[in-house]
């Protein structure tokens, strides 16, 4: 009771001071009661979403399906996805005696924190999105991240695991735990042109031979198979059987559940958001929700902070798209290069703890695609603590120097970028966002 009260008071004080801290109240509560999360999560049906890319957007998609199904729930929308942050969310949504006010919880979990959160939360469903190289100084290589996600699954014997069949790393979890598994994936290429990107997992997780692919969606995702040991993409239980349309505002797809086809509109653009939608459909299947209604929810969910978020500054349309690793950034660039109307581009690269100190990943991103756009990309603005590093990368990509502007002040950056009265697309890292 004291720990819950302390957490609530800390949260209220932080909000009163106009600060956005979501982690500190949980740290205070855990000091007072280390097992607090385990006590608060009892009798709460919890779904956890984890992985490198797509956690927040997938969570918002699942949340909309829960709203439409009339489920009583809370979610950690604030981005507090470490153990202390998740503990704080449970405390805030519980009474002083520790009884949760809601029957369900939707938790986005950092991939490195899942192994700690899963010690205390007996999840009903865990959705695994993907594994890509991300913040190497914190996570290490992809196999290290996979190991942490594996521990999370091993700590959750009662959870249904929703695994991305197109990710050879995520799929391998199926062989390590006895849990019931629902595989999801995309059964068709996402783009008309062949995808040729740096792969984070080119070699078989079992025997280290090089994979062969029937098709690649992006990164190392797709129809992989090992010619030596036979390890291969499993047949998805729910999949995207057809991509009807991908434009600047949305996507139209057809899901398949067994022999049943379910058309759907995803109200965000980008091929990677089709994966997020498919993960949300897998979660709906695991929860026993009506899949037709879940598909309808995809057309009206609210995007998360900075995830293709749209707003206006001085009458100019701005879209903000978080970037944090090569795979995700390449997908954003692929989205941008579909545009035919002129626009202004801004990239904000920071190297603070939440961003990852190592920014060498920008050299694995195909910024040459922006150079090839010619006059469609009117101007480019670069900002953040490592703006000069990004500027150098752009110059090596052949981008015209006269169209490149470094502006460290965020306020002036947006003033200058929006002054052209053209749509502005901003790609920030976490702390810049």
């Amino acid at each position: 009771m004291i720990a819950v009260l302390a957490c609530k008071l800390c949260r209220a004080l932080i909000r009163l001071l106009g600060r956005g801290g979501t982690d500190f109240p949980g740290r205070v509560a855990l000091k007072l009661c280390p097992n607090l999360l385990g006590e608060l999560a009892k009798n709460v049906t919890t779904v956890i979403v984890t992985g490198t890319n797509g956690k927040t957007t997938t969570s918002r998609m699942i949340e909309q399906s829960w709203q439409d199904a009339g489920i009583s729930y809370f979610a950690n929308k604030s981005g507090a996805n470490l153990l202390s942050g998740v503990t704080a969310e449970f405390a805030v949504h519980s009474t002083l005696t520790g009884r949760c006010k809601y029957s369900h919880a939707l938790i986005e979990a950092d991939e490195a924190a899942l192994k700690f959160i899963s010690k205390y939360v007996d999840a009903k469903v865990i959705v695994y999105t993907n594994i890509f190289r991300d913040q190497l100084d914190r996570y290490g290589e992809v196999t290290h991240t996979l190991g942490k996600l594996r521990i999370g699954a091993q700590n959750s014997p009662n959870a249904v695991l929703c695994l991305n069949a197109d990710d050879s790393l995520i799929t391998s979890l199926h062989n390590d735990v006895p849990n019931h598994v629902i595989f999801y994936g995309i059964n068709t290429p996402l783009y008309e042109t062949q995808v040729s990107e740096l792969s984070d997992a080119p070699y078989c997780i079992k025997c280290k031979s090089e994979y062969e692919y029937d098709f690649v969606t992006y990164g190392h995702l797709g129809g992989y198979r090992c010619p030596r040991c036979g390890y291969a993409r499993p047949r998805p239980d729910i999949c995207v059987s057809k991509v009807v349309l991908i434009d600047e505002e949305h996507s139209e797809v057809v899901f398949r559940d067994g022999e049943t086809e379910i058309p759907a509109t995803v109200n965000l653009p980008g091929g990677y958001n089709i994966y997020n939608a498919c993960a949300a459909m897998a979660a709906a299947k695991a929860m026993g929700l009506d899949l037709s209604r879940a598909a309808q929810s995809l057309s009206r969910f609210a995007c998360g902070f900075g995830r293709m978020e749209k707003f206006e500054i001085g009458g100019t349309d701005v879209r903000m798209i978080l970037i944090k690793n090569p795979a995700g950034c390449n997908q954003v660039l692929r989205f941008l290069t579909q545009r035919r109307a002129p626009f202004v581009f801004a990239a904000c690269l920071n190297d603070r703890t939440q961003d990852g100190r190592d920014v060498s990943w920008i050299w694995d991103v195909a910024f040459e695609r922006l150079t090839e756009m010619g006059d469609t990309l009117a101007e480019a603005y670069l900002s953040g603590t490592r703006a000069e590093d990004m500027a150098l990368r752009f110059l090596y990509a052949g981008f015209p120097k006269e169209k490149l502007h470094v502006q460290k002040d965020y306020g002036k950056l947006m003033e200058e970028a929006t002054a052209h009265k053209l749509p502005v697309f901003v790609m920030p890292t976490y702390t810049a966002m």
Side-chain angles (χ1 to χ4, degrees):
M1 186 181 295
I2 294 172
V4 171
L5 179 60
C7 185
K8 289 176 179 287
L9 289 175
C10 282
R11 173 73 73 91
L13 180 60
I14 287 172
R15 295 290 165 87
L16 189 65
L17 294 173
R19 305 295 293 273
T22 55
D23 185 64
F24 179 72
R27 280 188 280 154
V28 171
L30 288 171
K31 282 287 186 182
L32 296 169
C33 181
N35 189 43
L36 181 61
L37 180 57
E39 296 297 324
L40 299 178
K42 287 179 180 177
N43 303 316
V44 180
T45 301
T46 304
V47 172
I48 297 176
V49 181
T50 191
T52 303
N53 291 346
K55 297 185 291 293
T56 300
T57 302
T58 299
S59 296
R60 300 292 72 77
M61 292 174 171
I62 295 172
E63 181 181 4
Q64 186 64 53
S65 70
W66 285 15
Q67 285 183 16
D68 295 344
I71 292 174
S72 168
Y73 76 94
F74 74 90
N76 60 334
K77 292 183 184 181
S78 61
N81 59 12
L82 303 178
L83 176 62
S84 51
V86 172
T87 301
E89 289 295 330
F90 269 92
V92 167
H93 292 95
S94 297
T95 64
L96 288 179
T97 57
R99 183 181 60 82
C100 187
K101 302 173 185 177
Y102 303 91
S103 61
H104 289 65
L106 176 58
I107 299 299
E108 174 191 329
D110 176 87
E111 54 269 41
L114 177 67
K115 68 177 186 178
F116 304 111
I117 295 170
S118 59
K119 285 183 181 179
Y120 304 102
V121 177
D122 184 16
K124 180 181 177 64
V125 178
I126 303 180
V127 179
Y128 291 86
T129 59
N130 47 58
I131 299 177
F132 289 107
R133 278 190 306 134
D134 185 44
Q135 296 188 31
L136 293 179
D137 51 332
R138 177 174 172 231
Y139 295 111
E141 280 295 344
V142 289
T143 50
H144 188 60
T145 303
L146 177 62
K148 294 178 179 180
L149 293 178
R150 183 183 294 110
I151 294 172
Q154 292 168 341
N155 288 343
S156 309
N158 300 316
V160 176
L161 306 183
C162 297
L163 304 182
N164 186 344
D166 299 354
D167 188 328
S168 57
L169 298 168
I170 291 293
T171 299
S172 70
L173 295 173
H174 175 52
N175 300 321
D176 301 328
V177 292
N179 300 56
H180 177 62
V181 168
I182 294 177
F183 286 111
Y184 67 91
I186 297 177
N187 281 6
T188 178
L190 285 173
Y191 306 106
E192 294 179 1
T193 57
Q194 184 176 351
V195 174
S196 179
E197 296 175 352
L198 185 71
S199 173
D200 290 337
Y203 302 107
C204 178
I205 192 71
K206 302 296 182 183
C207 72
K208 310 307 178 187
S209 297
E210 189 169 2
Y211 286 121
E212 294 178 352
Y213 278 82
D214 296 320
F215 64 91
V216 176
T217 50
Y218 75 94
H220 62 270
L221 308 187
Y224 57 89
R225 49 188 166 81
C226 175
R228 182 178 176 186
C229 72
Y231 178 68
R233 175 185 187 258
R235 182 176 180 178
D237 299 290
I238 186 163
C239 69
V240 173
S241 59
K242 186 184 298 183
V243 177
V244 180
L245 173 70
I246 301 179
D247 64 19
E248 295 178 9
E249 296 297 329
H250 72 294
S251 301
E252 294 179 11
V253 300
V254 177
F255 293 104
R256 180 179 293 155
D257 174 35
E259 298 302 317
T260 304
E261 291 199 330
I262 308 167
T265 298
V266 182
N267 75 338
L268 283 181
Y272 53 97
N273 283 316
I274 296 177
Y275 266 111
N276 297 333
C278 198
M281 290 291 284
K285 184 178 177 70
M287 291 289 290
L289 303 183
D290 182 277
L291 292 186
S292 294
R293 289 188 65 184
Q296 293 171 9
S297 300
L298 296 173
S299 66
R300 53 179 176 270
F301 77 96
C303 65
F305 172 45
R307 278 70 172 185
M308 287 286 181
E309 186 180 8
K310 291 183 72 174
F311 48 89
E312 234 182 53
I313 296 179
T316 297
D317 291 330
V318 180
R319 191 185 281 273
M320 184 163 66
I321 316 169
L322 171 70
I323 58 168
K324 58 177 185 170
N325 54 42
C329 194
N330 276 326
Q331 282 298 290
V332 174
L333 297 184
R334 183 173 282 274
F335 159 70
L336 289 176
T337 53
Q338 293 176 334
R339 285 188 59 88
R340 295 295 175 263
F343 68 97
V344 173
F345 175 81
C348 305
L349 179 66
N350 282 355
D351 62 350
R352 299 189 175 100
T353 301
Q354 300 94 321
D355 308 293
R357 298 293 186 184
D358 183 357
V359 298
S360 63
W361 60 269
I362 64 176
W363 294 91
D364 292 329
V365 177
F367 287 110
E368 288 76 8
R369 291 175 179 169
L370 297 181
T371 303
E372 294 165 1
M373 296 189 73
D375 292 336
T376 303
L377 203 173
E379 302 287 338
Y381 290 85
L382 306 176
S383 190
T385 58
R386 302 296 289 270
E388 290 84 1
D389 295 74
M390 187 66 91
L392 183 64
R393 176 67 187 93
F394 267 63
L395 292 175
Y396 267 90
F399 198 82
K401 190 174 182 179
E402 63 273 12
K403 293 169 61 175
L404 206 55
H405 313 281
V406 174
Q407 175 54 264
K408 292 294 191 77
D409 183 281
Y410 291 145
K412 292 180 180 178
L413 169 75
M414 296 314 301
E415 284 178 12
E416 293 174 15
T418 55
H420 300 280
K421 299 304 177 183
L422 294 172
V424 177
F425 292 84
V426 186
M427 295 194 330
T429 54
Y430 272 123
T431 59
M433 181 174 71

